[in-house]
Amino acid sequence: MMSSLSWEMVRLLALVVVFVPVLAVNLRSGNLPNWCAAAVLVAGLALGLTRDGPAEAPWLFWIIGTVVWIGIFTFVGGVPGGVVKVAIAFLPWFHDAGDYLLFITIAMGLAAAGAFLLRRERIPIAPGMMIAGLGMFAFAAIG
Protein backbone atom coordinates (compact mmCIF):
# COMPACT_ATOMS: atom_id res chain seq x y z
CA MET A 1 0.00 0.00 0.00
CA MET A 2 1.25 3.47 -0.87
CA SER A 3 2.00 5.93 1.93
CA SER A 4 0.38 9.36 1.98
CA LEU A 5 1.89 12.15 -0.07
CA SER A 6 4.28 14.51 1.65
CA TRP A 7 3.51 18.23 1.72
CA GLU A 8 6.40 18.84 -0.70
CA MET A 9 4.99 16.33 -3.19
CA VAL A 10 1.54 17.91 -2.94
CA ARG A 11 3.14 21.32 -3.57
CA LEU A 12 4.89 19.94 -6.66
CA LEU A 13 1.66 18.45 -8.00
CA ALA A 14 -0.25 21.66 -7.25
CA LEU A 15 2.33 23.66 -9.21
CA VAL A 16 1.82 21.47 -12.26
CA VAL A 17 -1.98 21.57 -12.05
CA VAL A 18 -2.27 25.30 -11.36
CA PHE A 19 0.65 26.67 -13.36
CA VAL A 20 0.34 24.77 -16.66
CA PRO A 21 -2.67 26.90 -17.75
CA VAL A 22 -0.79 30.04 -16.62
CA LEU A 23 2.21 28.91 -18.66
CA ALA A 24 0.03 28.33 -21.74
CA VAL A 25 -1.58 31.77 -21.49
CA ASN A 26 1.77 33.50 -20.94
CA LEU A 27 3.41 31.74 -23.88
CA ARG A 28 0.44 32.45 -26.17
CA SER A 29 -0.19 36.10 -25.27
CA GLY A 30 2.97 37.25 -23.52
CA ASN A 31 0.84 38.56 -20.64
CA LEU A 32 -0.15 37.32 -17.21
CA PRO A 33 -3.84 38.17 -16.70
CA ASN A 34 -5.31 38.71 -13.25
CA TRP A 35 -6.89 35.26 -13.15
CA CYS A 36 -3.40 33.74 -13.40
CA ALA A 37 -2.27 35.52 -10.25
CA ALA A 38 -5.55 34.66 -8.54
CA ALA A 39 -5.19 30.94 -9.33
CA VAL A 40 -1.60 30.85 -8.05
CA LEU A 41 -2.56 32.81 -4.92
CA VAL A 42 -5.56 30.64 -4.03
CA ALA A 43 -3.55 27.44 -4.48
CA GLY A 44 -0.66 28.91 -2.48
CA LEU A 45 -2.91 29.98 0.37
CA ALA A 46 -4.48 26.53 0.49
CA LEU A 47 -1.02 24.97 0.57
CA GLY A 48 0.34 27.47 3.06
CA LEU A 49 -2.54 26.98 5.45
CA THR A 50 -2.33 23.19 5.34
CA ARG A 51 1.37 22.79 6.07
CA ASP A 52 2.02 22.26 9.84
CA GLY A 53 -1.16 24.19 10.71
CA PRO A 54 -2.30 27.76 10.10
CA ALA A 55 -0.80 28.99 13.39
CA GLU A 56 2.68 28.50 11.97
CA ALA A 57 2.01 30.38 8.71
CA PRO A 58 4.63 33.11 8.14
CA TRP A 59 2.18 36.01 7.82
CA LEU A 60 4.85 38.65 8.38
CA PHE A 61 7.00 37.21 5.56
CA TRP A 62 4.02 37.26 3.19
CA ILE A 63 3.10 40.86 4.10
CA ILE A 64 6.66 42.17 3.85
CA GLY A 65 7.16 40.37 0.51
CA THR A 66 4.00 41.94 -0.87
CA VAL A 67 5.05 45.41 0.25
CA VAL A 68 8.52 44.96 -1.28
CA TRP A 69 7.09 43.86 -4.66
CA ILE A 70 4.62 46.76 -4.71
CA GLY A 71 7.49 49.10 -3.88
CA ILE A 72 9.61 47.69 -6.71
CA PHE A 73 6.71 48.09 -9.14
CA THR A 74 5.95 51.63 -7.97
CA PHE A 75 9.39 53.14 -7.55
CA VAL A 76 11.77 51.16 -9.75
CA GLY A 77 9.54 50.63 -12.75
CA GLY A 78 10.28 48.38 -15.68
CA VAL A 79 8.69 45.35 -14.02
CA PRO A 80 5.33 44.54 -15.63
CA GLY A 81 2.32 44.43 -13.32
CA GLY A 82 1.51 40.82 -14.23
CA VAL A 83 4.96 39.67 -13.15
CA VAL A 84 4.62 41.52 -9.85
CA LYS A 85 1.16 40.04 -9.19
CA VAL A 86 2.28 36.47 -9.90
CA ALA A 87 5.47 36.95 -7.84
CA ILE A 88 3.30 38.14 -4.92
CA ALA A 89 0.91 35.22 -5.50
CA PHE A 90 3.81 32.78 -5.09
CA LEU A 91 4.68 34.07 -1.59
CA PRO A 92 2.35 31.63 0.25
CA TRP A 93 3.97 28.70 -1.56
CA PHE A 94 7.09 29.30 0.58
CA HIS A 95 7.68 29.37 4.33
CA ASP A 96 11.24 30.59 4.06
CA ALA A 97 12.44 33.88 2.59
CA GLY A 98 15.64 32.23 1.34
CA ASP A 99 13.77 29.65 -0.72
CA TYR A 100 11.47 32.31 -2.14
CA LEU A 101 14.39 34.54 -3.09
CA LEU A 102 16.15 31.59 -4.72
CA PHE A 103 12.97 30.80 -6.68
CA ILE A 104 12.60 34.40 -7.90
CA THR A 105 16.32 34.67 -8.70
CA ILE A 106 16.28 31.48 -10.79
CA ALA A 107 13.05 32.50 -12.57
CA MET A 108 14.28 36.01 -13.37
CA GLY A 109 17.72 34.71 -14.34
CA LEU A 110 16.18 32.26 -16.80
CA ALA A 111 14.01 35.02 -18.24
CA ALA A 112 17.01 37.32 -18.58
CA ALA A 113 19.05 34.58 -20.24
CA GLY A 114 16.17 33.85 -22.63
CA ALA A 115 15.78 37.52 -23.49
CA PHE A 116 19.52 37.80 -24.12
CA LEU A 117 19.69 34.68 -26.27
CA LEU A 118 16.57 35.58 -28.26
CA ARG A 119 17.59 39.25 -28.43
CA ARG A 120 14.24 40.52 -27.19
CA GLU A 121 13.33 43.19 -24.69
CA ARG A 122 10.24 41.35 -23.48
CA ILE A 123 9.96 37.63 -22.88
CA PRO A 124 7.38 35.48 -21.05
CA ILE A 125 8.30 34.95 -17.40
CA ALA A 126 6.11 31.90 -16.78
CA PRO A 127 8.57 29.37 -18.28
CA GLY A 128 11.29 30.56 -15.91
CA MET A 129 8.91 30.35 -12.95
CA MET A 130 7.78 26.89 -13.98
CA ILE A 131 11.33 25.59 -14.35
CA ALA A 132 12.43 27.18 -11.06
CA GLY A 133 9.38 25.82 -9.23
CA LEU A 134 9.64 22.33 -10.66
CA GLY A 135 13.32 22.15 -9.82
CA MET A 136 13.03 23.47 -6.29
CA PHE A 137 9.85 21.61 -5.38
CA ALA A 138 11.08 18.33 -6.86
CA PHE A 139 14.35 18.68 -5.00
CA ALA A 140 12.47 19.31 -1.74
CA ALA A 141 10.12 16.38 -2.42
CA ILE A 142 12.88 13.84 -3.02
CA GLY A 143 15.47 15.27 -0.67
Side-chain angles (χ1 to χ4, degrees), residues 5-21 40 43-44 46-48 50-51 90 92-94 103 129-143:
L5 293 174
S6 68
W7 184 84
E8 288 83 9
M9 186 61 76
V10 171
R11 182 172 65 163
L12 178 62
L13 294 171
L15 177 71
V16 172
V17 170
V18 171
F19 210 68
V20 165
V40 172
L47 285 169
T50 58
R51 183 183 189 183
F90 263 112
W93 291 68
F94 297 89
F103 167 76
M129 288 182 166
M130 185 71 163
I131 293 167
L134 285 174
M136 289 184 67
F137 298 168
F139 185 73
I142 62 172

Short mmCIF file of all heavy atoms in Angstrom, two decimals, residues 5-21 40 43-44 46-48 50-51 90 92-94 103 129-143:
data_model
loop_
_atom_site.label_atom_id
_atom_site.label_comp_id
_atom_site.label_asym_id
_atom_site.label_seq_id
_atom_site.Cartn_x
_atom_site.Cartn_y
_atom_site.Cartn_z
N LEU A 5 0.98 11.22 0.59
CA LEU A 5 1.89 12.15 -0.07
C LEU A 5 2.44 13.14 0.94
O LEU A 5 1.71 13.63 1.80
CB LEU A 5 1.16 12.90 -1.18
CG LEU A 5 0.72 12.09 -2.38
CD1 LEU A 5 -0.11 12.97 -3.31
CD2 LEU A 5 1.89 11.52 -3.12
N SER A 6 3.69 13.48 0.81
CA SER A 6 4.28 14.51 1.65
C SER A 6 3.79 15.88 1.19
O SER A 6 3.31 16.04 0.06
CB SER A 6 5.81 14.44 1.58
OG SER A 6 6.24 14.83 0.28
N TRP A 7 3.93 16.88 2.06
CA TRP A 7 3.51 18.23 1.72
C TRP A 7 4.30 18.73 0.50
O TRP A 7 3.75 19.38 -0.37
CB TRP A 7 3.72 19.16 2.91
CG TRP A 7 3.20 20.54 2.64
CD1 TRP A 7 1.92 20.97 2.79
CD2 TRP A 7 3.94 21.66 2.14
NE1 TRP A 7 1.82 22.28 2.42
CE2 TRP A 7 3.05 22.74 2.02
CE3 TRP A 7 5.26 21.86 1.79
CZ2 TRP A 7 3.44 23.99 1.58
CZ3 TRP A 7 5.66 23.10 1.33
CH2 TRP A 7 4.75 24.15 1.23
N GLU A 8 5.58 18.41 0.42
CA GLU A 8 6.40 18.84 -0.70
C GLU A 8 5.93 18.23 -2.01
O GLU A 8 5.94 18.88 -3.06
CB GLU A 8 7.88 18.50 -0.46
CG GLU A 8 8.56 19.36 0.58
CD GLU A 8 8.30 18.88 2.00
OE1 GLU A 8 7.72 17.79 2.18
OE2 GLU A 8 8.66 19.61 2.93
N MET A 9 5.49 16.97 -1.98
CA MET A 9 4.99 16.33 -3.19
C MET A 9 3.65 16.94 -3.61
O MET A 9 3.40 17.16 -4.79
CB MET A 9 4.83 14.82 -2.98
CG MET A 9 4.45 14.08 -4.24
SD MET A 9 5.66 14.22 -5.57
CE MET A 9 6.91 13.11 -4.99
N VAL A 10 2.81 17.25 -2.64
CA VAL A 10 1.54 17.91 -2.94
C VAL A 10 1.79 19.28 -3.55
O VAL A 10 1.13 19.69 -4.51
CB VAL A 10 0.66 18.03 -1.67
CG1 VAL A 10 -0.56 18.90 -1.91
CG2 VAL A 10 0.25 16.65 -1.19
N ARG A 11 2.79 19.99 -3.03
CA ARG A 11 3.14 21.32 -3.57
C ARG A 11 3.63 21.19 -5.01
O ARG A 11 3.26 21.98 -5.88
CB ARG A 11 4.20 21.97 -2.69
CG ARG A 11 4.60 23.35 -3.14
CD ARG A 11 5.48 24.05 -2.16
NE ARG A 11 6.77 23.38 -2.02
CZ ARG A 11 7.84 23.95 -1.48
NH1 ARG A 11 7.77 25.18 -1.01
NH2 ARG A 11 8.96 23.28 -1.39
N LEU A 12 4.40 20.18 -5.30
CA LEU A 12 4.89 19.94 -6.66
C LEU A 12 3.72 19.64 -7.60
O LEU A 12 3.63 20.21 -8.70
CB LEU A 12 5.90 18.80 -6.67
CG LEU A 12 6.48 18.38 -8.01
CD1 LEU A 12 7.25 19.52 -8.65
CD2 LEU A 12 7.36 17.16 -7.84
N LEU A 13 2.82 18.78 -7.19
CA LEU A 13 1.66 18.45 -8.00
C LEU A 13 0.75 19.66 -8.19
O LEU A 13 0.21 19.89 -9.28
CB LEU A 13 0.88 17.29 -7.38
CG LEU A 13 1.59 15.95 -7.35
CD1 LEU A 13 0.82 14.94 -6.52
CD2 LEU A 13 1.83 15.43 -8.75
N ALA A 14 0.58 20.45 -7.15
CA ALA A 14 -0.25 21.66 -7.25
C ALA A 14 0.36 22.65 -8.24
O ALA A 14 -0.37 23.30 -9.00
CB ALA A 14 -0.40 22.32 -5.88
N LEU A 15 1.68 22.77 -8.25
CA LEU A 15 2.33 23.66 -9.21
C LEU A 15 2.01 23.24 -10.63
O LEU A 15 1.67 24.07 -11.47
CB LEU A 15 3.84 23.67 -9.00
CG LEU A 15 4.63 24.51 -10.02
CD1 LEU A 15 4.38 26.00 -9.79
CD2 LEU A 15 6.11 24.20 -9.95
N VAL A 16 2.10 21.96 -10.91
CA VAL A 16 1.82 21.47 -12.26
C VAL A 16 0.36 21.74 -12.63
O VAL A 16 0.07 22.27 -13.71
CB VAL A 16 2.17 19.97 -12.38
CG1 VAL A 16 1.71 19.42 -13.72
CG2 VAL A 16 3.67 19.76 -12.20
N VAL A 17 -0.55 21.41 -11.75
CA VAL A 17 -1.98 21.57 -12.05
C VAL A 17 -2.36 23.04 -12.22
O VAL A 17 -3.08 23.40 -13.15
CB VAL A 17 -2.84 20.91 -10.94
CG1 VAL A 17 -4.30 21.27 -11.09
CG2 VAL A 17 -2.65 19.41 -10.95
N VAL A 18 -1.88 23.89 -11.34
CA VAL A 18 -2.27 25.30 -11.36
C VAL A 18 -1.48 26.10 -12.39
O VAL A 18 -2.02 26.98 -13.05
CB VAL A 18 -2.08 25.93 -9.96
CG1 VAL A 18 -2.27 27.43 -9.99
CG2 VAL A 18 -3.04 25.29 -8.98
N PHE A 19 -0.20 25.79 -12.55
CA PHE A 19 0.65 26.67 -13.36
C PHE A 19 0.71 26.31 -14.84
O PHE A 19 1.09 27.15 -15.65
CB PHE A 19 2.06 26.74 -12.76
CG PHE A 19 2.73 28.05 -13.01
CD1 PHE A 19 2.27 29.21 -12.42
CD2 PHE A 19 3.81 28.14 -13.86
CE1 PHE A 19 2.88 30.44 -12.66
CE2 PHE A 19 4.44 29.35 -14.11
CZ PHE A 19 3.96 30.51 -13.51
N VAL A 20 0.33 25.11 -15.23
CA VAL A 20 0.34 24.77 -16.66
C VAL A 20 -0.60 25.68 -17.46
O VAL A 20 -0.21 26.19 -18.51
CB VAL A 20 0.06 23.27 -16.89
CG1 VAL A 20 -0.28 22.97 -18.33
CG2 VAL A 20 1.28 22.45 -16.47
N PRO A 21 -1.83 25.95 -17.00
CA PRO A 21 -2.67 26.90 -17.75
C PRO A 21 -2.07 28.32 -17.77
O PRO A 21 -2.17 29.02 -18.78
CB PRO A 21 -4.00 26.89 -17.00
CG PRO A 21 -4.02 25.64 -16.23
CD PRO A 21 -2.59 25.30 -15.93
N VAL A 40 -2.83 31.17 -8.78
CA VAL A 40 -1.60 30.85 -8.05
C VAL A 40 -1.75 31.23 -6.58
O VAL A 40 -1.34 30.47 -5.69
CB VAL A 40 -0.39 31.57 -8.69
CG1 VAL A 40 0.86 31.43 -7.84
CG2 VAL A 40 -0.15 31.06 -10.10
N ALA A 43 -4.22 28.73 -4.71
CA ALA A 43 -3.55 27.44 -4.48
C ALA A 43 -2.45 27.59 -3.41
O ALA A 43 -2.30 26.73 -2.55
CB ALA A 43 -2.94 26.93 -5.78
N GLY A 44 -1.72 28.68 -3.47
CA GLY A 44 -0.66 28.91 -2.48
C GLY A 44 -1.20 29.09 -1.07
O GLY A 44 -0.62 28.58 -0.12
N ALA A 46 -4.03 27.86 0.05
CA ALA A 46 -4.48 26.53 0.49
C ALA A 46 -3.30 25.69 0.94
O ALA A 46 -3.36 25.02 1.97
CB ALA A 46 -5.24 25.84 -0.64
N LEU A 47 -2.22 25.73 0.19
CA LEU A 47 -1.02 24.97 0.57
C LEU A 47 -0.40 25.52 1.85
O LEU A 47 -0.01 24.78 2.74
CB LEU A 47 0.02 25.02 -0.54
CG LEU A 47 -0.23 24.16 -1.76
CD1 LEU A 47 0.73 24.54 -2.88
CD2 LEU A 47 -0.10 22.71 -1.42
N GLY A 48 -0.29 26.84 1.90
CA GLY A 48 0.34 27.47 3.06
C GLY A 48 -0.42 27.24 4.34
O GLY A 48 0.18 27.10 5.41
N THR A 50 -2.25 24.61 4.99
CA THR A 50 -2.33 23.19 5.34
C THR A 50 -1.00 22.61 5.81
O THR A 50 -0.98 21.52 6.36
CB THR A 50 -2.83 22.35 4.14
OG1 THR A 50 -1.95 22.53 3.04
CG2 THR A 50 -4.23 22.72 3.78
N ARG A 51 0.06 23.32 5.63
CA ARG A 51 1.37 22.79 6.07
C ARG A 51 1.51 22.93 7.57
O ARG A 51 1.30 23.74 8.08
CB ARG A 51 2.48 23.57 5.39
CG ARG A 51 3.83 23.04 5.75
CD ARG A 51 4.93 23.84 5.14
NE ARG A 51 6.18 23.14 5.36
CZ ARG A 51 7.34 23.59 5.00
NH1 ARG A 51 7.43 24.74 4.39
NH2 ARG A 51 8.41 22.89 5.25
N PHE A 90 2.98 33.94 -5.45
CA PHE A 90 3.81 32.78 -5.09
C PHE A 90 4.32 32.85 -3.64
O PHE A 90 4.85 31.85 -3.14
CB PHE A 90 5.01 32.64 -6.04
CG PHE A 90 4.78 31.67 -7.15
CD1 PHE A 90 4.67 32.11 -8.46
CD2 PHE A 90 4.67 30.31 -6.90
CE1 PHE A 90 4.46 31.21 -9.49
CE2 PHE A 90 4.45 29.40 -7.93
CZ PHE A 90 4.34 29.86 -9.23
N PRO A 92 2.83 32.67 -0.67
CA PRO A 92 2.35 31.63 0.25
C PRO A 92 2.85 30.21 -0.07
O PRO A 92 2.68 29.32 0.75
CB PRO A 92 0.83 31.69 0.10
CG PRO A 92 0.54 33.00 -0.51
CD PRO A 92 1.73 33.37 -1.31
N TRP A 93 3.44 30.02 -1.21
CA TRP A 93 3.97 28.70 -1.56
C TRP A 93 5.25 28.41 -0.77
O TRP A 93 5.74 27.28 -0.77
CB TRP A 93 4.28 28.62 -3.05
CG TRP A 93 3.08 28.62 -3.93
CD1 TRP A 93 2.22 29.66 -4.14
CD2 TRP A 93 2.60 27.55 -4.75
NE1 TRP A 93 1.25 29.29 -5.03
CE2 TRP A 93 1.46 28.01 -5.43
CE3 TRP A 93 3.04 26.26 -4.96
CZ2 TRP A 93 0.74 27.20 -6.30
CZ3 TRP A 93 2.33 25.46 -5.85
CH2 TRP A 93 1.19 25.93 -6.50
N PHE A 94 5.81 29.43 -0.13
CA PHE A 94 7.09 29.30 0.58
C PHE A 94 6.92 29.69 2.03
O PHE A 94 6.17 30.60 2.36
CB PHE A 94 8.15 30.19 -0.08
CG PHE A 94 8.45 29.82 -1.50
CD1 PHE A 94 7.72 30.36 -2.54
CD2 PHE A 94 9.44 28.90 -1.78
CE1 PHE A 94 7.98 30.00 -3.86
CE2 PHE A 94 9.72 28.53 -3.09
CZ PHE A 94 8.98 29.09 -4.13
N PHE A 103 13.96 31.04 -5.63
CA PHE A 103 12.97 30.80 -6.68
C PHE A 103 12.88 31.99 -7.63
O PHE A 103 12.95 31.84 -8.85
CB PHE A 103 11.60 30.51 -6.03
CG PHE A 103 10.44 30.56 -6.98
CD1 PHE A 103 10.21 29.51 -7.86
CD2 PHE A 103 9.58 31.64 -7.00
CE1 PHE A 103 9.13 29.55 -8.74
CE2 PHE A 103 8.50 31.68 -7.87
CZ PHE A 103 8.28 30.63 -8.74
N MET A 129 9.53 30.68 -14.23
CA MET A 129 8.91 30.35 -12.95
C MET A 129 8.58 28.86 -12.86
O MET A 129 8.75 28.25 -11.81
CB MET A 129 7.66 31.19 -12.73
CG MET A 129 7.94 32.64 -12.43
SD MET A 129 6.42 33.55 -12.13
CE MET A 129 7.07 35.04 -11.41
N MET A 130 8.12 28.31 -13.97
CA MET A 130 7.78 26.89 -13.98
C MET A 130 9.03 26.03 -13.78
O MET A 130 9.02 25.10 -12.97
CB MET A 130 7.09 26.53 -15.30
CG MET A 130 6.59 25.12 -15.37
SD MET A 130 5.17 24.91 -14.28
CE MET A 130 4.48 23.41 -14.91
N ILE A 131 10.09 26.35 -14.48
CA ILE A 131 11.33 25.59 -14.35
C ILE A 131 11.90 25.72 -12.94
O ILE A 131 12.30 24.73 -12.32
CB ILE A 131 12.36 26.04 -15.41
CG1 ILE A 131 11.87 25.64 -16.81
CG2 ILE A 131 13.74 25.45 -15.12
CD1 ILE A 131 12.65 26.29 -17.94
N ALA A 132 11.92 26.96 -12.41
CA ALA A 132 12.43 27.18 -11.06
C ALA A 132 11.59 26.43 -10.03
O ALA A 132 12.12 25.77 -9.14
CB ALA A 132 12.46 28.67 -10.74
N GLY A 133 10.27 26.52 -10.17
CA GLY A 133 9.38 25.82 -9.23
C GLY A 133 9.50 24.33 -9.31
O GLY A 133 9.59 23.65 -8.27
N LEU A 134 9.52 23.79 -10.52
CA LEU A 134 9.64 22.33 -10.66
C LEU A 134 10.95 21.84 -10.06
O LEU A 134 10.98 20.83 -9.35
CB LEU A 134 9.55 21.94 -12.14
CG LEU A 134 8.18 21.98 -12.78
CD1 LEU A 134 8.29 21.70 -14.29
CD2 LEU A 134 7.23 21.01 -12.12
N GLY A 135 12.03 22.55 -10.35
CA GLY A 135 13.32 22.15 -9.82
C GLY A 135 13.38 22.20 -8.30
O GLY A 135 13.78 21.24 -7.64
N MET A 136 12.95 23.32 -7.74
CA MET A 136 13.03 23.47 -6.29
C MET A 136 12.06 22.55 -5.56
O MET A 136 12.42 21.93 -4.55
CB MET A 136 12.76 24.93 -5.91
CG MET A 136 13.88 25.87 -6.29
SD MET A 136 13.58 27.54 -5.74
CE MET A 136 13.66 27.33 -3.97
N PHE A 137 10.84 22.45 -6.06
CA PHE A 137 9.85 21.61 -5.38
C PHE A 137 10.17 20.13 -5.52
O PHE A 137 9.96 19.36 -4.59
CB PHE A 137 8.44 21.91 -5.90
CG PHE A 137 7.97 23.33 -5.65
CD1 PHE A 137 6.84 23.82 -6.28
CD2 PHE A 137 8.65 24.19 -4.79
CE1 PHE A 137 6.40 25.12 -6.07
CE2 PHE A 137 8.22 25.50 -4.57
CZ PHE A 137 7.09 25.96 -5.20
N ALA A 138 10.69 19.73 -6.68
CA ALA A 138 11.08 18.33 -6.86
C ALA A 138 12.26 17.99 -5.95
O ALA A 138 12.30 16.91 -5.34
CB ALA A 138 11.43 18.05 -8.32
N PHE A 139 13.22 18.89 -5.87
CA PHE A 139 14.35 18.68 -5.00
C PHE A 139 13.92 18.54 -3.54
O PHE A 139 14.39 17.67 -2.81
CB PHE A 139 15.37 19.83 -5.16
CG PHE A 139 16.63 19.62 -4.38
CD1 PHE A 139 17.58 18.68 -4.79
CD2 PHE A 139 16.88 20.35 -3.24
CE1 PHE A 139 18.74 18.49 -4.07
CE2 PHE A 139 18.04 20.17 -2.51
CZ PHE A 139 18.97 19.24 -2.92
N ALA A 140 12.98 19.38 -3.12
CA ALA A 140 12.47 19.31 -1.74
C ALA A 140 11.68 18.02 -1.53
O ALA A 140 11.73 17.43 -0.43
CB ALA A 140 11.59 20.52 -1.44
N ALA A 141 10.96 17.58 -2.55
CA ALA A 141 10.12 16.38 -2.42
C ALA A 141 10.95 15.11 -2.31
O ALA A 141 10.60 14.19 -1.60
CB ALA A 141 9.15 16.27 -3.59
N ILE A 142 12.07 15.05 -3.05
CA ILE A 142 12.88 13.84 -3.02
C ILE A 142 14.00 13.90 -1.99
O ILE A 142 14.56 12.87 -1.63
CB ILE A 142 13.47 13.49 -4.41
CG1 ILE A 142 14.40 14.59 -4.88
CG2 ILE A 142 12.38 13.23 -5.40
CD1 ILE A 142 15.17 14.26 -6.12
N GLY A 143 14.35 15.11 -1.58
CA GLY A 143 15.47 15.27 -0.67
C GLY A 143 15.01 15.36 0.71
O GLY A 143 15.34 15.11 1.73
#
